[in-house]
Amino acid sequence: MSSVAICEELDFAIDGMFTGVTLAGQPQSKEVRELLNIAVALSEMPRHEFKSRLGLELGWRAAGRPLAPNNATSVFQQGSRLYPVQGRSFAYSAAFHSAMAAAIFLCFALVKVQPLMQSASEHTATMLQPYIAVPLASGRVSGGGGGDHSKSPASHGELPRMTAQQISPPVVQIENLKPRLAAEPTVVGPPDTSTIAKNQLGDPLSKLMLPSNGTGIGGGIGSGEGGGVGSGRGGPGIGTGIFHIGNGVSAPRPIFTPEPEYSDEARQAKFQGIVSMWAVIGSDGHPRSLRIVRSLGMGLDEKALEAVRSWRFEPGMKDGHAVAVEMIVEVDFHLF
Amino acid sequence: MNALADAANERLLIEAAQQDPTRFAELYETNFNRVYAYVARRVTDRAEAEDVTAEVFHTALINLRRFQWRGVPFAAWLVRIAANALADRWKKQSAGKELLVEERGEEIAGDDPQVERNAMLFQLVERLPPDQRLVIFRRFVEQRSVREIARDLGRSEGAVKQLQFRALGSLRSQMKERP
């Protein structure tokens, strides 16, 4: 019989020994029977861990260190026989853990007393760069949107004049006919593209003629949010504004990303981590309106901003057109 | 001559341990396999074998000063403690098994060659090559399948079976060489 066949027969017999299944074909060869006898004896072999642990326990007891009652079992040893307990160490450990638990409880208590402080810190983002209006592919200024929760969409009309700063948002239906201080309704945009409205103000893309400020909010005209015109949100401009990734809007793809420099301080401290920043990637692929949302400090935030300003992206797309998209950009600082 | 030397050496160890209990470790190392083999043959599962073995050595350590050397091996004293521990357990478990306890009591009075044989076998396993020893422990102590061992060790099932076969063959040969 070949050694491979003996191996197979032996292993089969050992499996039978463990499972308790009596096989019709008992091992035939004398060699396998002898080896199986050895295997049966080995199945009663002690575990290494048990032997070493018991030796340790005995050593402790022999050295006069107290063990819990009932010989080998201690408070932590029910059925598992872990290390024996030293009374003094146990007391130190209990005191330390109690102190830590009290400290944690105190922290929670303080946080509950100062909910406003917590709320403020949660929403703080470092504004390290003045806001720059993001131009759309057509050259207009984004961030438009508005309305007054009207049931009907915004009506058709002309855009108001564009200015660098908005004083009064445009409206179709004026509620206050005699304001104390009248101001020209404008939207934010490059002044060189300003137009002067000759007719009724409204959304140029709308086809409805029934006067309405639109279904949006914020005082402008349209279905968006803010004091501008259009379906965008968050701004006093016009147009569709800044898009979120998803729902037909693709994510901008970085195409030129020079490595950020390390600050001397961080390099000396061998400090590593990731700086996260909120950014608007314009339709031209340039990152704008960068704001640090997760800071590292040690000068790395400034280095990250410096690097990302030089980055270029393939812009996000919607319906085949490049659009401005907001996203989180991460800069990884690591030392090799 | 060797037996006499061993006996004298054991006596010295016992006296040393009686003077300084921390020396009990040497007696423990020498006799662990024998006690465990004795107990393991008399209980149904590994956990119980470990409980009783631990009880035996703790009892021995506590009562070491009362031990008097009369030429009987220290292992015999340990086995007697083990027998008593087992008897106590069986009595607690069921009154109906008291007869069995008495039978066990009779049995332990004499030598059990299989215990000596198993204790020797456990010792020989420690001297196997590392890969064979690992397979033996996984297969027989942890009772894992050849497939599991092969996966853990990153080897083929055939290779594990070969290691198992060689290890058992080596142990058999060494056992045959022993008296």
Side-chain angles (χ1 to χ4, degrees):
Chain A
M1 186 181 282
S2 70
S3 70
V4 175
I6 292 175
C7 281
E8 288 296 335
E9 188 182 343
L10 176 65
D11 191 58
F12 200 61
I14 290 169
D15 276 339
M17 176 186 83
F18 286 136
T19 56
V21 177
T22 307
L23 302 171
Q26 291 269 330
Q28 296 298 313
S29 69
K30 183 187 172 195
E31 186 174 21
V32 170
R33 278 201 302 276
E34 286 180 354
L35 295 178
L36 192 57
N37 285 336
I38 299 283
V40 170
L42 288 176
S43 66
E44 293 178 358
M45 197 162 47
R47 293 185 302 130
H48 260 311
E49 300 86 341
F50 166 67
K51 185 182 176 186
S52 53
R53 203 162 52 225
L54 178 57
L56 188 72
E57 283 181 358
L58 291 167
W60 280 63
R61 183 184 279 276
R65 295 177 181 176
L67 286 176
N70 200 13
N71 283 341
T73 52
S74 69
V75 282
F76 298 124
Q77 291 174 328
Q78 292 299 331
S80 61
R81 292 196 193 290
L82 298 177
Y83 294 102
V85 173
Q86 291 182 82
R88 187 179 294 175
S89 301
F90 185 86
Y92 287 152
S93 175
F96 176 74
H97 282 86
S98 301
M100 291 301 293
I104 292 168
F105 177 77
L106 199 63
C107 286
F108 276 110
L110 287 174
V111 167
K112 280 188 176 178
V113 170
Q114 299 172 336
L116 291 176
M117 288 176 62
Q118 184 197 29
S119 173
S121 64
E122 274 180 356
H123 296 96
T124 298
T126 312
M127 183 66 144
L128 295 173
Q129 188 181 1
Y131 174 75
I132 302 169
V134 183
L136 293 177
S138 61
R140 295 174 296 168
V141 173
S142 69
D148 58 359
H149 264 310
S150 297
K151 289 183 180 177
S152 57
S155 54
H156 180 80
E158 290 187 7
L159 287 174
R161 191 167 70 89
M162 292 190 183
T163 57
Q165 190 174 4
Q166 185 187 54
I167 296 173
S168 175
V171 286
V172 177
Q173 289 182 304
I174 302 171
E175 292 181 1
N176 186 2
L177 296 173
K178 292 182 179 177
R180 288 187 177 182
L181 182 62
E184 181 194 3
T186 60
V187 290
V188 173
D192 58 344
T193 61
S194 296
T195 57
I196 298 174
K198 296 174 184 173
N199 302 310
Q200 175 66 43
L201 294 179
D203 184 352
L205 300 177
S206 174
K207 294 176 182 174
L208 293 175
M209 299 308 293
L210 190 66
S212 170
N213 289 329
T215 56
I217 56 172
I221 301 170
S223 58
E225 178 186 334
V229 176
S231 58
R233 69 176 184 86
I238 60 173
T240 52
I242 302 165
F243 286 90
H244 293 292
I245 296 167
N247 289 329
V249 180
S250 65
R253 191 169 62 86
I255 51 177
F256 177 66
T257 56
E259 283 287 316
E261 287 181 12
Y262 240 89
S263 65
D264 293 338
E265 187 185 0
R267 190 189 301 280
Q268 283 172 5
K270 293 186 168 52
F271 194 66
Q272 302 185 82
I274 293 175
V275 173
S276 299
M277 64 186 82
W278 182 86
V280 175
I281 311 302
S283 57
D284 56 357
H286 285 71
R288 293 184 174 83
S289 303
L290 305 176
R291 297 182 198 185
I292 302 289
V293 293
R294 191 170 64 187
S295 168
L296 275 185
M298 289 200 175
L300 293 177
D301 297 348
E302 290 75 9
K303 294 291 182 186
L305 283 167
E306 194 179 304
V308 172
R309 280 193 197 108
S310 66
W311 288 11
R312 293 294 175 267
F313 292 78
E314 195 177 279
M317 305 292 283
K318 177 176 170 57
D319 301 329
H321 298 287
V323 292
V325 172
E326 66 175 3
M327 64 185 293
I328 297 294
V329 178
E330 292 187 336
V331 182
D332 187 3
F333 288 93
H334 54 269
L335 292 165
F336 293 100
Chain B
M1 189 68 186
N2 277 342
L4 283 175
D6 287 344
N9 190 34
E10 190 177 61
R11 185 176 184 177
L12 287 174
L13 280 176
I14 292 165
E15 287 174 353
Q18 284 174 328
Q19 296 295 321
D20 177 10
T22 57
R23 299 288 301 276
F24 185 73
E26 293 163 72
L27 291 169
Y28 169 75
E29 286 293 332
T30 312
N31 293 285
F32 174 84
N33 282 338
R34 196 176 281 115
V35 172
Y36 187 90
Y38 172 83
V39 175
R41 276 176 60 77
R42 287 159 177 80
V43 297
T44 51
D45 62 68
R46 193 179 295 278
E48 193 176 4
E50 291 181 353
D51 282 344
V52 175
T53 305
E55 191 179 335
V56 168
F57 280 103
H58 280 282
T59 306
L61 179 61
I62 291 166
N63 297 301
L64 188 61
R65 288 182 188 278
R66 289 159 55 183
F67 178 78
Q68 291 181 345
W69 177 259
R70 290 172 184 166
V72 179
F74 187 68
W77 185 60
L78 293 174
V79 167
R80 171 55 60 187
I81 295 173
N84 289 337
L86 288 169
D88 288 343
R89 280 178 172 251
W90 289 326
K91 278 181 186 172
K92 282 178 189 170
Q93 281 169 8
S94 168
K97 290 186 178 177
E98 283 188 11
L99 179 62
L100 181 64
V101 172
E102 293 305 316
E103 286 171 357
R104 297 277 183 178
E106 293 291 324
E107 181 190 334
I108 60 174
D111 290 333
D112 184 348
Q114 190 60 43
V115 168
E116 291 299 319
R117 185 180 159 80
N118 285 2
M120 191 183 293
L121 187 65
F122 300 163
Q123 211 166 350
L124 291 174
V125 170
E126 299 292 338
R127 299 176 196 168
L128 287 173
D131 52 354
Q132 291 182 21
R133 192 170 62 229
L134 187 60
V135 168
I136 290 296
F137 270 104
R138 295 269 173 97
R139 188 80 169 110
F140 297 102
V141 178
E142 298 175 15
Q143 298 195 352
R144 298 169 75 174
S145 68
V146 166
R147 178 174 294 178
E148 288 172 323
I149 298 168
R151 192 182 55 218
D152 288 354
L153 302 184
R155 305 180 78 153
S156 69
E157 288 184 35
V160 172
K161 285 177 185 174
Q162 281 286 346
L163 283 170
Q164 175 181 262
F165 173 66
R166 281 204 291 271
L168 292 176
S170 170
L171 290 170
R172 181 187 55 173
S173 305
Q174 292 181 69
M175 291 295 286
K176 278 183 178 174
E177 289 168 12
R178 306 252 165 183

